[in-house]
Amino acid sequence: MIAPEADVLVSLKKLSKVYRMGVQDVVAIGGIDLDIRQGEYVAIMGHSGSGKSTLLNILGCLDRPTGGRYMLGGEDVSVMNDDALSEIRNRRIGFIFQSFNLIHGLSIEENIEVPLFYQGVRRSVRRQRSTELARLVGLGGRLGHRPRELSGGQQQRVAIARALANEPLVLLADEPTGNLDSNTTNEILRLFEELHSAGRTIIMVTHEIDVAEHAHRTVRMADGAIADDTPTARARA
Amino acid sequence: MKAIYKVTDIVRLGVFSLLVHKVRSMLTALGIIFGVWSVIAMLAISQGASYESQISLRRLGSDNIIIGSVKPPEDAMAAESGALHYGLTHQDVARMRDNIPGVLRAVVIHSTPKLAYAGGANQHQVTVLATEPGFAGVARARMKEGRFINSLDMLRRASVCVVTDSLADKVFGHGSPMGKTVRLSGMAFVVIGVLDRLPGKLTGGPADAGDYVLIPHTTEQMRFGDMTVVQSQGSEVFERVEVSTAILQMVDEQAVVNGAAIARGMLERSRRQVDYQITVPLEEIEQRKRQMEIWSYVLMAIALVSLVVGGIGIMNIMLAGVTERTREIGIRRALGAKRRDIVVQFLVEAMTLTTAGGLAGILVGLVVPWAVENTLKFKTIVTTQTLVLPFVVAVAVGLISGLYPAMRAARLDPIHALRHE
Ligand SMILES: Nc1ncnc2c1ncn2[C@@H]1O[C@H](COP(=O)(O)OP(=O)(O)O)[C@@H](O)[C@H]1O
Ligand SMILES: [Mg+2]
């Protein structure tokens, strides 16, 4: 028997994150429930300090919840040890940061290959894959360059290629356009749109409404709780 | 299979990272090179010095007890028929030879300064040593040419002499001096042999003076008597010394130690004044050995301290390097690196760096003592131990100091490492 939630990719149950600051506790996330299905394009919105980044870091297994349960692709990751979480980050998740987070000592192709490197994929195969990915994000001619030689928009494309290298279950992006001008922002959003059309699941944190409008569902957070969860105009269209 | 790709890749990454951070890598390697070579050179020079000093003492013979006559202060001296009379007598030497157990042989030397003439324009100031055949054995003298004085020479009171190599060069120039004639106070002596230099202490002459003429003791007594003329402040003073130096060669080292004590006691009782001096090379060798041991401990301590200081330097650079790269570690962790992947990467870096630096240090550490030996003519000794020990310490320090910050960085949550600026 197949449950109706068979295509649920991300499932949070009473998930919470509390920072202990001396005597007083800071509740960054206060017990939220959230399901995200395969192929969805979700924007997480909210004011600064509302817990968006905390939530996304937990989804990306960069941080651990202090309470509740997080199921990713049917696996309970909230009980995993550090090695198992590394494995999950390495094989299931593609993370895109606001500040790109490329390794400056490495070339573009080497940056794209890092997740494959830790999977133990052989060099020749990695090289082939990074070449394909660079072409996909529109950076075919730049493989040998260093990150500092590229513009912000180009660097973010490298980061997206890197996030796609391991064929992740889900792409997570924390303010991916926060450091970019409006032209490049639109280019990146167009790339997201293409990836979404190709079937990728995308969860994107942003505080800009114009950016959020590109997604098909908006989850609005306030004070560590979900205030609102609606399809966007684009989804209804 | 995959694990193997991963390991070789991480090793390659470690080496590659060193090239990316060239300056830091160079600094760290330099620290290790300096630490290693300075310790090697220090040990090589100190061991060389210790060896040298022991060799020079050993040339005096560790089985000898050397008793020299010493002129006592003027006022304490008894004048006897117009001549100053002091020092050992043949009777003293015979008593010691017969009463001290373990004496292999006793050799006496009577030494007098004289002018030597061998034709040509110049006379030469020399020390004449009147002695007996046994001298060559106790002095460990090596013949360069010819032979030493033998018992037949003694019996015949032959007018023959043995000269030292340096004197032969001065007096006879090039060519062999064998068979040529040297005049001492007008009397002719035929050269029958040439000796290497003799240690001054053994001959009762000035330290390391190289110009000696050795003649049979019996010949000297017949020709010159045992009176010595000393020129002092314009007036001539006659001195009478029967035996300038007596050398007792003992059967073994225990006999040396016991014999020296007995000889001291005997002379204290028989001599009215302290006109003698007892030298025991064995005691000096032992004492020098102890001094050298203390020295080598001091040098060892300095070497260790400099290695530790160097190690702290290395640790500092490694720590700074890892701290600076905390964000890179965070990125790698976010992309799936396990804690041990990070530790291995930094360990490979530290290992490559310290091993390369250590090997270069050994190379420099070999070249420096070699250069010191060739330019300063200073004996150095490099042993496997002095090469390996600093290398092992430096590499160990490098590894520990690379491992510690790497483990600390790997322990960070990825999110904390990523937030690091
Ligand atoms: N490491 C931390 N220690 C303590 N409090 C934190 C930490 N990280 C975040 N917080 C707090 O958690 C709340 C949510 O932060 P964050 O998830 O970064 O918000 P957003 O990304 O929506 O701006 C804030 O009140 C913030 O101060
Ligand atoms: Mg944020």
Side-chain angles (χ1 to χ4, degrees):
Chain A
M1 169 187 149
I2 297 169
E5 293 90 9
D7 60 346
V8 170
L9 200 62
V10 169
S11 171
L12 306 180
K13 292 273 176 332
K14 299 206 172 2
L15 190 97
S16 63
K17 176 77 182 180
V18 179
Y19 290 104
R20 184 137 277 166
M21 305 285 285
V23 282
Q24 92 194 52
D25 290 345
V26 176
V27 179
I29 297 176
I32 62 174
D33 296 323
L34 181 67
D35 281 353
I36 292 168
R37 288 165 189 273
Q38 172 82 49
E40 275 195 284
Y41 184 2
V42 183
I44 298 177
M45 289 200 66
H47 294 296
S48 179
S50 57
K52 309 183 292 292
S53 293
T54 306
L55 175 61
L56 203 73
N57 290 337
I58 290 171
L59 291 178
C61 295
L62 296 172
D63 205 355
R64 287 164 178 275
T66 47
R69 204 160 65 140
Y70 169 21
M71 302 285 287
L72 174 66
E75 288 180 283
D76 187 352
V77 296
S78 37
V79 297
M80 286 183 175
N81 66 15
D82 190 81
D83 273 4
L85 285 177
S86 299
E87 198 80 21
I88 294 287
R89 288 195 297 271
N90 189 218
R91 294 178 183 276
R92 302 267 181 270
I93 289 165
F95 210 108
I96 298 157
F97 302 88
Q98 178 174 356
S99 52
F100 323 136
N101 275 339
L102 300 177
I103 298 173
H104 297 293
L106 304 182
S107 68
I108 298 311
E109 57 185 344
E110 285 163 338
N111 264 289
I112 296 174
E113 289 168 20
V114 171
L116 302 173
F117 177 98
Y118 288 110
Q119 279 179 15
V121 175
R122 60 193 302 174
R123 243 151 89 90
S124 53
V125 177
R126 289 201 314 250
R127 197 70 1 141
Q128 200 183 326
R129 190 93 181 91
S130 61
T131 311
E132 286 168 17
L133 285 164
R135 202 177 300 129
L136 178 76
V137 298
L139 283 173
R142 301 278 180 162
L143 284 173
H145 287 63
R146 299 279 143 154
R148 284 190 217 275
E149 295 163 11
L150 303 186
S151 71
Q154 287 172 321
Q155 288 191 43
Q156 196 59 298
R157 285 165 188 269
V158 176
I160 293 168
R162 181 178 68 182
L164 292 169
N166 58 351
E167 293 286 347
L169 282 181
V170 57
L171 264 185
L172 304 171
D174 191 353
E175 311 258 10
T177 59
N179 284 6
L180 304 176
D181 61 41
S182 57
N183 271 342
T184 17
T185 295
N186 286 331
E187 286 173 23
I188 295 296
L189 289 173
R190 213 169 300 133
L191 186 53
F192 276 17
E193 189 58 50
E194 283 167 26
L195 291 170
H196 170 61
S197 314
R200 296 258 165 226
T201 310
I202 303 174
I203 305 174
M204 173 177 69
V205 163
T206 181
H207 62 267
E208 290 174 71
I209 295 184
D210 337 358
V211 173
E213 273 174 351
H214 288 79
H216 294 211
R217 172 181 169 193
T218 304
V219 175
R220 190 178 302 278
M221 290 188 71
D223 292 332
I226 293 175
D228 192 28
D229 186 347
T230 50
T232 57
R234 187 177 290 248
R236 287 188 292 267
Chain B
M1 210 49 197
K2 280 193 168 177
I4 291 170
Y5 288 134
K6 191 164 159 180
V7 168
T8 55
D9 274 335
I10 290 179
V11 168
R12 193 181 301 123
L13 170 67
V15 176
F16 175 80
S17 302
L18 291 178
L19 298 176
V20 172
H21 305 275
K22 282 190 198 74
V23 174
R24 185 168 46 233
S25 305
M26 289 287 289
L27 281 176
T28 312
L30 263 182
I32 295 171
I33 291 171
F34 264 87
V36 171
W37 85 250
S38 60
V39 171
I40 290 175
M42 191 143 60
L43 291 176
I45 291 171
S46 88
Q47 289 194 354
S50 137
Y51 175 81
E52 278 281 87
S53 82
Q54 283 196 39
I55 283 293
S56 68
L57 275 171
R58 216 165 275 283
R59 285 230 304 271
L60 291 175
S62 60
D63 52 354
N64 290 339
I65 299 171
I66 302 166
I67 306 146
S69 293
V70 186
K71 189 175 174 178
E74 297 282 338
D75 53 316
M77 202 113 60
E80 183 190 299
S81 58
L84 295 173
H85 189 155
Y86 66 87
L88 294 172
T89 62
H90 286 291
Q91 202 190 347
D92 291 328
V93 177
R95 248 209 328 269
M96 286 192 285
R97 182 191 59 209
D98 297 340
N99 292 311
I100 296 174
V103 177
L104 208 57
R105 60 185 154 191
V107 173
V108 295
I109 303 163
H110 185 242
S111 108
T112 18
K114 276 195 188 340
L115 290 173
Y117 181 69
N122 298 321
Q123 301 201 85
H124 300 269
Q125 184 69 48
V126 300
T127 305
V128 174
L129 302 178
T131 185
E132 41 195 323
F135 176 87
V138 299
R140 286 158 178 80
R142 264 178 306 158
M143 301 303 299
K144 271 197 88 174
E145 264 186 282
R147 63 170 177 86
F148 198 70
I149 298 160
N150 62 23
S151 32
L152 202 59
D153 299 327
M154 297 290 286
L155 217 59
R156 283 182 181 159
R157 297 178 162 82
S159 293
V160 294
C161 69
V162 172
V163 295
T164 47
D165 190 30
S166 57
L167 180 65
D169 278 352
K170 275 187 231 167
V171 177
F172 300 103
H174 304 302
S176 169
M178 297 290 292
K180 295 197 172 145
T181 300
V182 182
R183 287 184 178 276
L184 301 169
S185 306
M187 294 192 218
F189 288 81
V190 175
V191 177
I192 55 166
V194 180
L195 275 181
D196 275 338
R197 297 161 64 87
L198 291 170
K201 206 164 206 167
L202 197 59
T203 55
D208 261 340
D211 297 343
Y212 293 110
V213 178
L214 294 91
I215 62 175
H217 192 250
T218 48
T219 313
E220 188 207 36
Q221 277 189 329
M222 186 180 75
R223 295 286 177 92
F224 306 117
D226 43 17
M227 207 68 90
T228 308
V229 185
V230 177
Q231 305 271 5
S232 72
Q233 293 155 356
S235 65
E236 289 191 335
V237 177
F238 293 95
E239 286 187 3
R240 210 174 111 86
V241 177
E242 270 188 50
V243 176
S244 310
T245 309
I247 304 171
L248 302 177
Q249 189 177 18
M250 312 301 288
V251 288
D252 55 30
E253 297 196 341
Q254 193 52 51
V256 172
V257 175
N258 298 337
I262 297 171
R264 278 194 186 101
M266 286 175 72
L267 290 171
E268 247 165 59
R269 265 177 277 121
S270 68
R271 303 301 312 171
R272 274 175 296 144
Q273 51 192 359
V274 187
D275 52 0
Y276 58 89
Q277 188 190 15
I278 301 183
T279 307
V280 185
L282 180 70
E283 287 175 358
E284 290 190 16
I285 290 171
E286 294 294 321
Q287 198 184 342
R288 194 74 72 92
K289 227 189 239 167
R290 276 195 297 277
Q291 277 174 1
M292 278 300 166
E293 238 159 60
I294 293 170
W295 253 110
S296 72
Y297 285 135
V298 171
L299 278 175
M300 251 328 190
I302 295 174
L304 276 181
V305 167
S306 64
L307 267 183
V308 167
V309 171
I312 292 171
I314 296 166
M315 195 178 286
N316 225 343
I317 296 174
M318 290 273 187
L319 256 171
V322 175
T323 310
E324 201 181 297
R325 287 164 66 189
T326 302
R327 197 182 167 101
E328 176 191 331
I329 292 171
I331 297 171
R332 292 184 179 279
R333 293 272 286 137
L335 298 175
K338 298 193 168 98
R339 283 179 174 153
R340 64 170 169 276
D341 294 332
I342 300 295
V343 172
V344 167
Q345 177 190 339
F346 280 86
L347 205 57
V348 168
E349 285 187 29
M351 215 146 68
T352 310
L353 209 51
T354 50
T355 309
L359 288 177
I362 283 185
L363 266 184
V364 183
L366 281 172
V367 169
V368 168
W370 177 84
V372 164
E373 188 152 344
N374 280 286
T375 55
L376 304 176
K377 302 290 172 219
F378 210 93
K379 173 92 183 154
T380 60
I381 296 177
V382 178
T383 64
T384 319
Q385 280 174 328
T386 56
L387 284 183
V388 169
L389 183 80
F391 177 82
V392 168
V393 173
V395 169
V397 167
L399 284 190
I400 293 167
S401 56
L403 191 59
Y404 165 70
M407 285 175 65
R408 211 181 58 167
R411 242 193 336 260
L412 280 179
D413 274 337
I415 194 67
H416 287 122
L418 274 171
R419 285 211 190 100
H420 194 274
E421 279 311 319

